[in-house]
Amino acid sequence: AKFYNKPHTNVGINVAKSFNGLIDVDIDSNEAINLAPKFFPLDTCVFGRKNKDKVELTHFLFQRDQDYSKLNLDRLDLNNKKIIEFRTCGNLVVPPSVTTSKNDEKILLPRVWVNNTKPIKVLNIFKIFNWCCFASFIYPFIESANTGAICLDACLKRYTNVTDDERVKFLEILYSTKFPNKWNIDKDFNIKKFRRIIKGNNNETTKTAGYKKFADYIKIDPLELKRALSWIGQVPDE
């Protein structure tokens, strides 16, 4: 009781030692906060921060499934800011602690448990992390479910090894999150539309495009898009 009576006293856990090694998926960007609940399992240990009248999910905890010390885990947006951290060491501040707002450091936001259960082990967690980072990277530039979606899916087809169903699911998550008021209401924002796009790209009935055309369409540096695509696949030098 004396401990919690102190102002702004926080509680922390050692990520590397707890449960014989944890992975803390630390959601940093606003785009990732919107997308993460649709990518990461929710039946693991999850907490967030209470921001006004809603709770934003900011930390997903998983049991370590392998050694990540030799991998490059930096996932940065165009402004060189972290999208999501994949933390396997260090100290993690957990509820009922408070944290400063990333928009205004003077505002203290309470951390709250969303699912206070034992962290689970997910063997493809690194793949999920990379796909959520890529989705968060392109999220601000997604506007069209026509040419933009065709170019995006063409990149998925060219540079990754995901299945057609996985391509559909990715586009569904991305567009339904970005345009919730249009999803399944507007004729251009539904799964049937994306299946037609994927079929067209597979059959090459539409002119497919590489990362340079997609980058030109969304008006960003092609090398930046190539960097983001490298998280989920392999882009040839030529």
Side-chain angles (χ1 to χ4, degrees):
K2 292 181 179 179
F3 178 81
Y4 288 116
N5 283 335
K6 295 181 180 180
H8 313 320
T9 299
N10 288 334
V11 182
I13 62 173
N14 188 308
V15 176
K17 294 182 178 180
S18 300
F19 291 98
N20 295 319
L22 283 177
I23 297 169
D24 170 28
V25 177
D26 183 356
I27 314 300
D28 280 322
S29 73
N30 290 329
E31 293 80 11
I33 285 175
N34 290 329
L35 289 162
K38 297 186 178 182
F39 277 94
F40 293 101
L42 297 175
D43 57 344
T44 189
C45 190
V46 182
F47 69 86
R49 61 190 179 215
K50 193 170 183 180
N51 192 358
K52 297 181 180 178
D53 59 345
K54 65 178 181 179
V55 175
E56 299 173 336
L57 277 58
T58 56
H59 291 266
F60 297 76
L61 303 183
F62 302 95
Q63 290 187 43
R64 187 103 41 95
D65 60 316
Q66 66 181 72
D67 181 12
Y68 292 94
S69 61
K70 296 181 180 179
L71 295 180
N72 178 8
L73 303 177
D74 289 336
R75 302 293 181 263
L76 307 177
D77 63 15
L78 288 180
N79 297 315
N80 210 37
K81 293 183 177 180
K82 293 179 181 178
I83 299 173
I84 303 174
E85 285 189 80
F86 195 89
R87 302 179 62 235
T88 58
C89 62
N91 188 59
L92 172 62
V93 177
V94 299
S97 308
V98 293
T99 183
T100 56
S101 169
K102 294 184 179 181
N103 297 321
D104 183 351
E105 292 188 357
K106 295 180 181 179
I107 300 176
L108 291 175
L109 303 176
R111 294 193 167 190
V112 295
W113 291 111
V114 176
N115 192 11
N116 187 3
T117 187
K118 183 178 179 180
I120 63 173
K121 183 179 291 187
V122 179
L123 297 181
N124 65 340
I125 192 63
F126 190 59
K127 177 181 177 180
I128 297 172
F129 160 72
N130 281 320
W131 278 90
C132 190
C133 286
F134 176 72
S136 303
F137 179 91
I138 62 174
Y139 187 88
F141 311 105
I142 296 299
E143 296 180 0
S144 167
N146 294 303
T147 302
I150 292 172
C151 291
L152 170 56
D153 179 65
C155 288
L156 302 184
K157 175 180 179 291
R158 281 192 177 199
Y159 308 126
T160 75
N161 60 0
V162 294
T163 66
D164 290 359
D165 287 341
E166 287 173 324
R167 284 156 63 188
V168 170
K169 187 63 178 177
F170 177 79
L171 294 173
E172 176 192 359
I173 290 174
L174 185 63
Y175 281 86
S176 65
T177 305
K178 183 69 180 284
F179 304 101
N181 296 328
K182 291 185 177 181
W183 186 250
N184 284 334
I185 298 174
D186 189 298
K187 63 182 179 64
D188 287 330
F189 295 86
N190 57 70
I191 289 180
K192 290 183 179 179
K193 169 67 178 291
F194 293 136
R195 289 196 184 279
R196 290 197 298 271
I197 288 174
I198 289 171
K199 183 178 180 180
N201 279 335
N202 289 348
N203 296 334
E204 298 186 355
T205 56
T206 55
K207 187 176 180 181
T208 57
Y211 73 91
K212 291 182 180 179
K213 182 168 182 178
F214 183 41
D216 181 64
Y217 183 81
I218 61 177
K219 297 180 175 56
I220 68 172
D221 184 344
L223 293 180
E224 290 291 335
L225 179 59
K226 183 178 180 181
R227 173 174 66 87
L229 280 165
S230 71
W231 304 336
I232 60 171
Q234 187 172 6
V235 183
D237 290 335
E238 295 296 336

